[in-house]
Amino acid sequence: MMSREEAARRAAELRAEIERHNYLYYVLDRPEITDAEYDRLMRELMAIEEAYPDLQTPDSPTLRVGGAPLAVFETVTHRVPLLSLANAYTPEELRAFDARVKRFLGTGDVSYVAELKIDGLTVALTYEAGRLVLGATRGDGEQGEDVTANVRTIRSIPLRLSRALSLIVRGEVYMKRPDFLRLNEARRAAGEPEFANPRNAAAGSLRQLDPKITASRPLDAFFYDVLTVEGADVATQWEALSFLRELGFKVNPAARLCRDIEEVIAFCDEWATRRHEVAYEIDGIVVKVNSLAQLTALGATAKAPRGKIAYKYPATEEVTRALELAVNVGRTGVLTPLAILEPVEVAGSTVSRATLHNEDYIQEKDIRIGDTVVVRKAGDVIPEVVRVLPERRTGTERIFTMPTRCPECGADVVRLEGEAAARCVGAACPAQLREGIIHFASRNAMNIEGRGPQIVSQLIEAGLVHDAADLYRLREQDLVKLERFGPKSAENLVRAIAATRGNELARLIFALGIRHVGENVARVLAERFRSMDALAAADEEELLAIPAIGPKIAASIVSYFREEQNRRLLEKLRAAGVKMEEGEAAPA
Ligand code: IVH
């Protein structure tokens, strides 16, 4: 074993080395080592910190996996209030802003910085002598929440700056669109409520009392303002951006220094069309007087600085009519109400249905059949009805009530105390069955290639498939009788299904669709139990001993395996040759 001094020296070396690789990977997108090499460094540091716990510093990258859960977030009072921005919607309003600024300053010599307005949530980070000591949400601008432990888990946020400065910076935590879609897909698969848009996903992920959850979410952050700094000279916003970059922060590369407001307007126009090219949501352009001396001279109104303004892009909202309200039954039996719309073009695509989330949402917004409604497409995702326009009512609108019986199977619909979701309790509900099989076959589950939801529905309707195990019994001669199937496509499907018999256990566990068991949990379970039988035999106590498993998940797993119907399905899968153990060769 290393001496304490050796360990301390090596730990410091590793911290610097790991953080350098974090920076290369997460900020510059230019990794220099492989994931395996990175993991090796991380493991070495973790081993040292385990042997000498007091050597773990607050800027150790091992904290990026998330520390101990909190009971509540502490309130922090911002040293510099986090103001908001006034909005402009037209070039005319930007010209008026420019005129106001010049009149106020008594000079025509004003340049601007135009930056993308990232649609995430504001954080203020405090560094002392180059070390991150506090991360806070904006809150009401005066007081926010201390989310330091969570901020530390965001890999692109420097725990230590390249210079030992004390400063406060402001930035935006956000989630990239593809990461958001993947997160929602996993939540859907685990029967958990989805986030409405990337911003809500980012906010929900940052405001978790358990930093380990935050660590598991793909968050990122751009920084754009220096609120205070000691011992460095920054004279303009343009310099502030390079200063932030130099310190190790991720700074959005699209900012532009503009000589006058017409250049700002050109930048706004350019990004109005280019905004869909970037992987994150932007909802406008922030225009800032470049000279910090001028900015200070301009001061602020009650809420917003006079030298900055947000140019907001037209919302991706449109007005249309809700022709009908319908419900969709999901894999876990949850009934989701949706509006069938008069088709309308929103943000570049035609929308003809929009989610209404749940019964409370409909009541709260008083959405009725026949209403004129505002629909929004948030982040290229599921469109939603945002509100109704009651002034357009004609008196023929009808109140919508959730069905008390499942529209697919006629079983009772129940709504548990304290839950927003209404569920169909039918054990043999065809909608649940269909969605369950679609999930079983989906990419992140068993990954049966060439199976679309339509094919699964077709197989069920044809009476060829009653459960997931039946997929493995499909024969080419049965398939060729179906519409859209030829000898070739029948052969391909049978082969694609057969190829999944030897999948890793984690995929199979996830594919079963046990509530609250997402991909990550499935992987943990496969690693721990190594066979389906061992997992099925586990009791709650055994499951709770696993760090990633909480009471909700444990209870759900136990009740899944207690259900006779589910045990029968597993036996059928086993009989069909599906691998039930980890690390065993696939049966021929
Ligand atoms: S500057 C005094 N720059 O937009 C306000 N804000 O509507 C200084 N935002 O709360 C903010 N990107 O969360 C600034 N490049 C950017 C921004 C940005 C996104 C957010 C910020 C602010 C909101 C104002």
Side-chain angles (χ1 to χ4, degrees):
M1 193 151 157
M2 277 190 242
S3 74
R4 216 193 119 75
E5 293 81 272
E6 269 171 353
R9 195 190 37 76
R10 181 64 183 146
E13 215 170 80
L14 284 164
R15 274 198 298 274
E17 184 68 1
I18 291 169
E19 280 304 287
R20 191 172 72 86
H21 290 299
N22 265 339
Y23 177 71
L24 286 166
Y25 186 92
Y26 291 103
V27 179
L28 300 185
D29 202 7
R30 238 173 24 218
E32 283 179 3
I33 56 173
T34 63
D35 291 1
E37 285 167 314
Y38 178 88
D39 289 346
R40 206 154 39 236
L41 296 173
M42 200 66 171
R43 271 200 304 272
E44 190 184 343
L45 180 57
M46 273 152 67
I48 296 178
E49 289 180 353
E50 208 165 295
Y52 300 99
D54 58 309
L55 289 184
Q56 185 179 55
T57 57
D59 62 0
S60 175
T62 55
L63 289 172
R64 293 203 183 272
V65 298
L70 308 173
V72 286
F73 291 119
E74 299 293 331
T75 301
V76 285
T77 302
H78 297 298
R79 264 213 280 156
V80 182
L82 299 181
L83 301 180
S84 60
L85 293 173
N87 294 326
Y89 297 94
T90 61
E92 259 38 67
E93 287 173 10
L94 283 179
R95 291 190 185 104
F97 160 76
D98 177 53
R100 262 196 319 275
V101 164
K102 287 175 174 162
R103 200 178 333 115
F104 202 99
L105 292 172
T107 170
D109 187 15
V110 181
S111 61
Y112 295 101
V113 174
E115 299 169 14
L116 303 189
K117 186 170 180 314
I118 315 296
D119 198 9
L121 77 151
T122 296
V123 286
L125 305 186
T126 307
Y127 289 79
E128 276 167 17
R131 287 193 163 84
L132 174 67
V133 295
L134 176 68
T137 60
R138 177 167 181 271
D140 61 5
E142 297 288 334
Q143 294 192 317
E145 287 170 326
D146 180 342
V147 288
T148 314
N150 292 344
V151 161
R152 283 206 173 100
T153 68
I154 302 175
R155 306 297 202 271
S156 63
I157 290 185
L159 301 175
R160 211 169 154 174
L161 305 176
S162 66
R163 291 166 64 183
L165 293 172
S166 295
L167 44 74
I168 305 178
V169 295
R170 176 171 179 162
E172 203 79 359
V173 170
Y174 66 96
M175 195 178 285
K176 293 195 194 88
R177 234 179 269 124
D179 288 332
F180 159 73
L181 293 174
R182 222 170 298 134
L183 175 64
N184 259 358
E185 199 182 319
R187 290 176 71 83
R188 187 159 56 238
E192 290 164 6
E194 293 174 51
F195 290 111
N197 54 51
R199 182 160 50 85
N200 286 4
S205 300
L206 192 68
R207 296 190 63 259
Q208 285 286 339
L209 289 168
D210 183 353
K212 289 208 169 56
I213 298 182
T214 308
S216 75
R217 302 276 172 82
L219 293 175
D220 210 333
F222 282 123
F223 288 83
Y224 46 73
D225 273 1
V226 179
L227 299 181
T228 65
V229 57
E230 292 160 25
D233 271 336
V234 183
T236 64
Q237 173 63 13
W238 193 245
E239 278 173 36
L241 294 179
S242 23
F243 177 64
L244 286 167
R245 210 172 272 131
E246 181 195 314
L247 290 175
F249 291 102
K250 187 158 170 168
V251 174
N252 192 280
R256 186 174 299 165
L257 178 59
C258 302
R259 269 166 307 176
D260 57 33
I261 203 72
E262 295 310 316
E263 278 188 30
V264 169
I265 293 168
F267 183 85
C268 293
D269 284 347
E270 179 185 329
W271 278 95
T273 46
R274 289 186 62 191
R275 59 192 284 214
H276 302 292
E277 288 174 19
V278 288
Y280 40 84
E281 303 269 298
I282 61 177
D283 58 343
I285 300 295
V286 181
V287 183
K288 305 177 177 178
V289 166
N290 186 34
S291 154
L292 299 188
Q294 287 182 337
L295 259 179
T296 310
L298 284 159
T301 64
K303 281 211 321 245
R306 289 198 189 84
K308 297 182 182 178
I309 198 163
Y311 178 79
K312 295 286 273 280
Y313 288 129
T316 44
E317 289 185 352
E318 292 297 335
V319 174
T320 185
R321 266 190 66 224
L323 303 175
E324 209 44 75
L325 300 199
V327 292
N328 183 43
V329 185
R331 175 170 62 83
T332 54
V334 172
L335 270 60
T336 306
L338 49 97
I340 310 293
L341 305 170
E342 214 165 77
V344 62
E345 177 101 351
V346 189
S349 68
T350 304
V351 170
S352 51
R353 343 165 57 143
T355 183
L356 299 166
H357 301 288
N358 54 51
E359 201 171 3
D360 292 346
Y361 189 85
I362 299 177
Q363 251 155 31
E364 200 181 292
K365 308 248 162 175
D366 188 22
I367 301 166
R368 305 184 193 171
I369 303 167
D371 262 339
T372 301
V373 295
V374 176
V375 289
R376 168 169 62 203
K377 227 173 77 188
D380 297 337
V381 290
I382 329 147
E384 60 176 351
V385 171
V386 194
R387 60 179 187 278
V388 302
L389 300 177
E391 64 276 17
R392 303 254 196 114
R393 282 194 177 139
T394 61
T396 59
E397 295 75 18
R398 284 169 295 134
I399 303 273
F400 172 81
T401 44
M402 281 294 266
T404 51
R405 302 204 158 268
C406 173
E408 302 248 11
C409 74
D412 282 347
V413 168
V414 298
R415 190 172 155 186
L416 297 181
E417 186 87 15
E419 273 196 24
R423 281 172 207 278
C424 156
V425 297
C429 173
Q432 290 184 49
L433 190 79
R434 181 182 65 234
E435 297 298 320
I437 300 174
I438 290 171
H439 167 73
F440 183 89
S442 67
R443 188 162 49 86
N444 296 343
M446 292 302 263
N447 192 22
I448 297 177
E449 270 173 58
R451 50 71 222 170
Q454 299 90 333
I455 298 213
V456 172
S457 303
Q458 193 187 3
L459 296 172
I460 295 174
E461 272 158 37
L464 292 175
V465 168
H466 304 95
D467 59 32
D470 285 342
L471 291 169
Y472 294 94
R473 303 185 175 187
L474 287 171
R475 297 175 313 170
E476 288 167 34
Q477 58 263 45
D478 299 324
L479 291 174
V480 289
K481 292 185 199 135
L482 303 178
E483 218 176 295
R484 291 195 304 240
F485 270 100
K488 192 75 205 149
S489 52
E491 186 192 330
N492 284 345
L493 183 61
V494 171
R495 183 166 329 122
I497 294 171
T500 67
R501 283 200 171 95
N503 276 352
E504 314 125 71
L505 183 61
R507 278 190 181 274
L508 180 62
I509 295 173
F510 175 60
L512 294 178
I514 305 169
R515 274 188 82 197
H516 308 302
V517 176
E519 281 171 86
N520 285 330
V521 171
R523 215 167 301 127
V524 169
L525 292 172
E527 243 167 63
R528 166 72 181 73
F529 292 100
R530 309 198 64 79
S531 82
M532 193 62 85
D533 287 341
L535 173 61
D539 59 19
E540 278 184 46
E541 203 181 327
E542 241 178 303
L543 290 162
L544 282 171
I546 306 170
I549 311 259
K552 225 165 59 178
I553 305 178
S556 167
I557 295 170
V558 169
S559 78
Y560 179 89
F561 287 104
R562 205 177 282 146
E563 187 63 51
E564 185 50 37
Q565 223 179 345
N566 297 332
R567 287 185 167 272
R568 268 206 303 274
L569 173 66
L570 284 164
E571 280 325 303
K572 249 178 104 173
L573 284 166
R574 189 194 307 276
V578 176
K579 195 177 79 168
M580 298 271 166
E581 276 90 35
E582 194 64 296
E584 176 198 296

